[in-house]
């Protein structure tokens, strides 16, 4: 079954639940453009989530979802709010959502955990989730070990539920490649950052548009929380300190509130500018409508070319 039919959307595109970026308004804009918009709960209180769901529902009548960051201290309340609003779809990150699955199934919410290993994907399928988002380490933000090229076919071959590919996808060719690897759709983050509707500061968008893949790096490797970002003054200092054996407290001083600095204040020198390796493909600002249309047309064209050969 096509992802569009499973989720009742126009394109097989899911928007990643990006902390501080994936607001109710942005999620609604993505859903209105034909993808599945998600409200991100990273850094969100239960009270704020309720507000963001209300905003989202007031701006779209299309399906939308909530990305549940399982390490959010208010996760229990957040899960209850998704139940109260009968949110059509949840995706989950940073852990095992096992204990909440029955609660969502009771109200027919579709569940798509984001995973970076085959073992967790298999456990999730046994618990009855509706699909898996397999995220390779090319992705922006917090990442696992395996690349999309290796992870997606491993998971797709092991499971019989739909698999959605995430990490390193921002062109029609890459969407087709994900399909060849066994995915029925994609989740994207990086290529949405420069869209007109994305609520990040213009400095963040400009940085994304001008960045090369060689400017992307991973901070937090040694401390065990690898995070894919663009290099800047803060990141270079962080990595140097990490290598020199700095304590977690010293490192946290550098990153305290740093995503907000970049997203809201436009401080792309001292803030965390999360972005994936695919950033070099993002070269212009455009509307979500134009982006989705362009990506899907490119994908269809590439597929046609492949079939003709
Ligand atoms: C700026 C940014 C912030 C992100 N924050 C989160 C997050 O809070 N929770 C999450 O599950 N994934 C997060 N991600 C990952 C995305 O949801 C998505 O899976 C990923 O961006 C897909 O790979 P791509 O960056 O190559 O498109 C983030 C990604 C980016 C680029």
């Amino acid at each position: 079954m096509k992802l569009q039919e499973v989720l009742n959307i126009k394109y097989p595109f899911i928007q990643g639940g990006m902390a501080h970026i994936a607001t109710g308004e942005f999620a609604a804009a993505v859903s209105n453009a034909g993808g599945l918009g998600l409200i991100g709960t990273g850094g969100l209180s239960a009270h704020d989530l309720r507000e963001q769901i209300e905003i989202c529902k007031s701006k779209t009548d299309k399906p939308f979802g909530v990305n549940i960051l399982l390490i959010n201290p208010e996760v229990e309340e957040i899960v209850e709010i998704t139940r109260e609003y009968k949110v059509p779809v949840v995706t989950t990150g940073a852990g095992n959502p096992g204990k909440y699955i029955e609660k969502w199934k009771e109200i027919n919410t579709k569940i798509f955990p984001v995973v970076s290993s085959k073992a967790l994907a298999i456990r999730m399928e046994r618990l009855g989730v509706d699909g898996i988002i397999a995220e390779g380490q090319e992705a922006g933000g917090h990442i696992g070990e395996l690349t999309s090229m290796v992870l997606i076919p491993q998971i797709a071959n092991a499971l019989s539920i739909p698999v959605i590919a995430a990490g390193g996808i921002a062109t029609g060719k890459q969407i087709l490649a994900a399909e060849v690897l066994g995915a029925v759709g994609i989740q994207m983050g990086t290529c949405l950052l420069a869209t007109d509707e994305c609520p990040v500061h213009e400095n963040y968008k400009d940085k994304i548009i001008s960045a090369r893949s060689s400017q992307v790096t991973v901070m937090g490797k040694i401390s065990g929380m690898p995070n894919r970002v663009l290099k800047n003054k803060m990141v270079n200092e962080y990595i140097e300190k990490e290598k020199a054996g700095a304590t977690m407290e010293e490192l946290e001083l550098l990153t305290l509130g740093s995503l907000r600095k970049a997203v809201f204040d436009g401080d792309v020198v001292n803030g965390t500018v999360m972005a994936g390796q695919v950033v070099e493909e993002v070269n212009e600002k455009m509307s979500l409508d134009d982006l989705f249309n362009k990506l899907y047309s490119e994908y269809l064209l590439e597929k046609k070319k492949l079939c003709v050969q």
Side-chain angles (χ1 to χ4, degrees), residues 170-171 190-191 194 205-213 278-286 291 294:
T171 66
T190 301
C191 76
K205 293 186 186 183
D206 292 338
K207 185 96 180 151
I208 291 293
I209 282 172
S210 61
R212 297 283 172 91
S213 295
V278 85
V279 72
E280 193 164 329
E281 305 292 345
V282 187
N283 298 314
E284 54 181 326
K285 295 178 193 172
M286 62 174 79
L291 177 70
K294 172 178 162 284

Side-chain angles (χ1 to χ4, degrees), residues 102-174:
E102 272 315 308
K103 288 178 180 247
W104 283 315
K105 287 179 83 67
E106 274 168 17
I107 51 157
N108 292 325
T109 289
K110 293 198 166 71
I111 311 154
F112 290 78
V114 181
V115 308
S116 54
S117 80
K118 185 174 86 174
L120 184 56
I122 291 173
R123 280 216 298 282
M124 293 297 102
E125 182 178 44
R126 285 197 193 122
L127 290 173
V129 302
D130 298 274
I132 289 288
I133 301 173
E135 191 192 66
Q137 61 124 303
E138 298 92 327
H142 292 100
I143 50 170
E145 288 281 348
L146 297 179
T147 60
S148 294
M149 187 69 125
V150 171
L151 182 72
I152 295 157
Q154 266 187 14
I155 293 184
N157 290 340
L159 266 49
S160 49
I161 52 176
V163 174
I164 290 103
I169 303 170
T171 66
K173 268 191 183 151
Q174 287 161 337

Side-chain angles (χ1 to χ4, degrees), residues 17 66 90 92-93 100 124 156 175 192-193 203 215 231 286 292 301 307-308:
V66 174
V90 294
T92 63
Y100 307 116
M124 293 297 102
I175 298 171
L192 299 175
L193 294 170
N203 293 355
Q215 288 168 262
K231 290 175 192 165
M286 62 174 79
F292 288 174
L301 187 70
C307 294
V308 169

